[in-house]
Amino acid sequence: MSDPDSTPLVVDVAIAGGGLVGASLALALAKLQLKVVLIEAAPFGAVDQPSFDDRTTAISNGSRRIFEALGVWPLIEREATAIRRIHVSDQGRFGFTRIDAKEQGLSSLGYVVVNRVMGAALWRRLKAEPSITVLAPAKVQSMQLQQHVQRLECAMDDSVRIVEAKLAIAADGARSTVRQSAGIGSSTWDYEQVALVSNVLSQHFHDHVAYERFTNAGPLALLPLTEGRLGLVWTFSPETAKEMTALSDTEFLARLQDTFGFRLGRFTRVGQRHLYPLSLTRSDEYVAERLAIVGNAAQTLHPIAGQGFNLGLRDAVSLAEVLADGLAEANGEFDAGDGMWLQRYREWRAADRGNIVRFTDGMVRLFSQPLGPIKLLRNAGMLAFDLMPAAKDALSQLSLGAAGRVPRLARGAPLSKG
């Protein structure tokens, strides 16, 4: 590898990680008069970017409004499938809960989109933004705090590029190099579970219903997709997950049928099956000197409630809003890495993060309990919950990302005041 470029790239904001959250943050910041660089390890627009795989993501109405503001929604709308009802049940038990968009006064509770589709739309928008410099493929090897800047050393092919940023943003995933370079650790709780992800077809149309069924092996989710398909996320122990991938399609569909039942008729086809280990990872801190942490670098959640991406996206646009307000207050003398803005970001995000992490982790632990009395109580609770509109309203608001202070972009308002 050759020596570093002697002329550093000097910017206001350097975003490490061009996945779904990092790319969204870059687009949000493009609306401000800031010099922004996005550093991504995969080639520009590469289909093999880890975040842009064939997994499906349930995005909230707040996230849809954010994508509308970023100019991304028109590029993915045709590939997005509305969730109009959610049905939650416990295998072999009487408890169930239903949430209907109409009861909440909504046209939908959210949408399901394939990650690859979202990634392609985000990168297409990035190409159209001249104010954003993209370094790709480029990998941050180290970061060092210097006077008034973070100095990032980025490997590009056989050379090294130096970036000096007033503010560095870690959006580079659960094993964030940038976070670690700042000396910030993380805690991880291994759920000792693996998510098996695939697409399936059934005899009956899904009718825009998302199903979550809790089984002895782990949660099973079926999410409505385009062309009548269903996105399957089925959680197992690592050993059982390997066994499930080894089954023939016919054998696998028979197991799925036996577990889910015939609410959708018979399952007729299954696509490729992929495995993803599951854990809860939380950063020890969310800001440091001239550093902010967002998305999976801040927290990585179990997919049981489909909240990980929505939470990370709110991280991104909340930070963008703090910087927009800072620009307005600074009257031209603006330092994006000023500790005042970072503290505002940290304090704002604390409640939302805490609520969603506790909600998601609590669901995993509650529905993993094998004890008979606990199963009986949780099923009685699910039935009672189904009859209590106020409780359902509260859950739907939490899952839609409408609890606590909501970012302007998630409300359909402009990023900047006025």
Side-chain angles (χ1 to χ4, degrees):
M1 184 173 293
S2 63
D3 292 334
D5 188 321
S6 59
T7 306
L9 176 61
V10 179
V11 297
D12 293 296
V13 180
I15 304 169
L20 298 177
V21 171
S24 297
L25 175 56
L27 288 173
L29 293 178
K31 298 178 179 299
L32 307 178
Q33 299 299 313
L34 296 174
K35 293 181 180 179
V36 178
V37 62
L38 180 66
I39 306 163
E40 167 53 38
F44 192 94
V47 295
D48 58 350
Q49 208 280 357
S51 295
F52 303 166
D53 55 23
D54 285 326
R55 281 177 288 183
T56 55
T57 292
I59 66 171
S60 69
N61 283 311
S63 294
R64 172 184 56 80
R65 285 189 284 268
I66 291 168
F67 277 160
E68 286 175 346
L70 300 181
V72 174
W73 185 248
L75 303 178
I76 65 177
E77 186 173 11
R78 293 179 62 181
E79 298 292 331
T81 305
I83 300 173
R84 300 205 171 100
R85 295 191 301 280
I86 297 174
H87 187 280
V88 184
S89 61
D90 205 353
Q91 184 186 20
R93 300 280 170 168
F94 55 82
F96 63 90
T97 293
R98 297 163 296 189
I99 302 177
D100 193 309
K102 289 182 180 179
E103 294 177 359
Q104 308 300 320
L106 301 168
S107 60
S108 71
L109 293 165
Y111 299 82
V112 183
V113 188
V114 177
N115 287 3
R116 173 176 37 78
V117 172
M118 282 195 289
L122 286 163
W123 281 95
R124 183 175 169 185
R125 281 287 296 113
L126 284 170
K127 288 181 179 179
E129 284 291 350
S131 63
I132 301 172
T133 299
V134 178
L135 300 183
K139 184 174 177 58
V140 178
Q141 291 185 312
S142 65
M143 183 182 73
Q144 186 177 32
L145 179 65
Q146 296 188 343
Q147 189 176 17
H148 306 307
V149 296
Q150 290 280 10
R151 184 178 187 273
L152 295 89
E153 187 174 289
C154 308
M156 297 186 66
D157 297 323
D158 293 327
S159 64
V160 173
R161 186 71 189 271
I162 300 300
V163 175
E164 291 183 352
K166 294 288 185 67
L167 173 64
I169 299 172
D172 50 343
R175 296 188 178 91
S176 170
T177 298
V178 169
R179 186 190 66 216
Q180 293 173 16
S181 293
I184 299 174
S186 62
S187 59
T188 299
W189 176 269
D190 187 350
Y191 288 119
E192 298 181 355
Q193 294 177 336
V194 174
L196 184 152
V197 176
S198 186
N199 288 345
V200 296
L201 281 175
S202 61
Q203 279 183 315
H204 302 325
F205 180 56
H206 50 63
D207 201 25
H208 299 275
V209 179
Y211 295 93
E212 181 103 42
R213 171 154 259 213
F214 295 96
T215 76
N216 290 332
L220 184 162
L222 285 167
L223 305 175
L225 292 174
T226 56
E227 301 175 348
R229 298 170 299 144
L230 293 141
L232 171 66
V233 183
W234 198 354
T235 304
F236 301 100
S237 68
E239 296 76 16
T240 304
K242 290 179 182 178
E243 294 173 8
M244 295 298 289
T245 56
L247 295 176
S248 68
D249 287 357
T250 301
E251 292 170 328
F252 181 85
L253 290 173
R255 295 276 190 94
L256 177 60
Q257 197 80 65
D258 184 58
T259 302
F260 182 78
F262 290 86
R263 187 176 294 274
L264 290 167
R266 290 195 174 276
F267 293 106
T268 57
R269 291 184 63 183
V270 61
Q272 288 187 327
R273 289 161 258 168
H274 303 280
L275 300 180
Y276 299 92
L278 301 177
S279 62
L280 168 63
T281 301
R282 301 180 72 177
S283 178
D284 294 343
E285 296 288 346
Y286 299 103
V287 299
E289 191 171 352
R290 298 195 174 277
L291 173 68
I293 303 173
V294 302
N296 283 346
Q299 66 274 313
T300 306
L301 309 183
H302 193 291
I304 190 170
Q307 290 304 301
F309 170 68
N310 296 291
L311 182 62
L313 188 59
R314 291 197 297 277
D315 286 346
V317 296
S318 298
L319 179 58
E321 184 173 321
V322 166
L323 295 177
D325 289 350
L327 265 171
E329 294 175 24
N331 295 319
E333 295 297 326
F334 179 68
D335 180 352
D338 191 304
M340 182 190 308
W341 320 133
L342 293 172
Q343 188 59 25
R344 285 186 189 180
Y345 166 72
R346 182 180 184 278
E347 291 175 355
W348 180 359
R349 298 303 301 142
D352 190 18
R353 277 196 180 109
N355 287 340
I356 296 297
V357 169
R358 284 190 295 272
F359 172 65
T360 301
D361 188 53
M363 286 187 69
V364 175
R365 295 175 191 273
L366 175 62
F367 287 95
S368 298
Q369 286 288 345
L371 301 178
I374 294 178
K375 283 187 174 183
L376 188 64
L377 284 171
R378 80 185 182 210
N379 278 273
M382 289 174 71
L383 273 178
F385 186 89
D386 196 55
L387 300 172
M388 295 170 60
K392 292 167 72 173
D393 289 348
L395 175 60
S396 67
Q397 291 302 306
L398 179 65
S399 65
L400 291 171
R405 180 183 171 188
V406 181
R408 293 191 196 108
L409 292 184
R411 290 185 273 117
L415 179 62
S416 301
K417 294 178 182 177

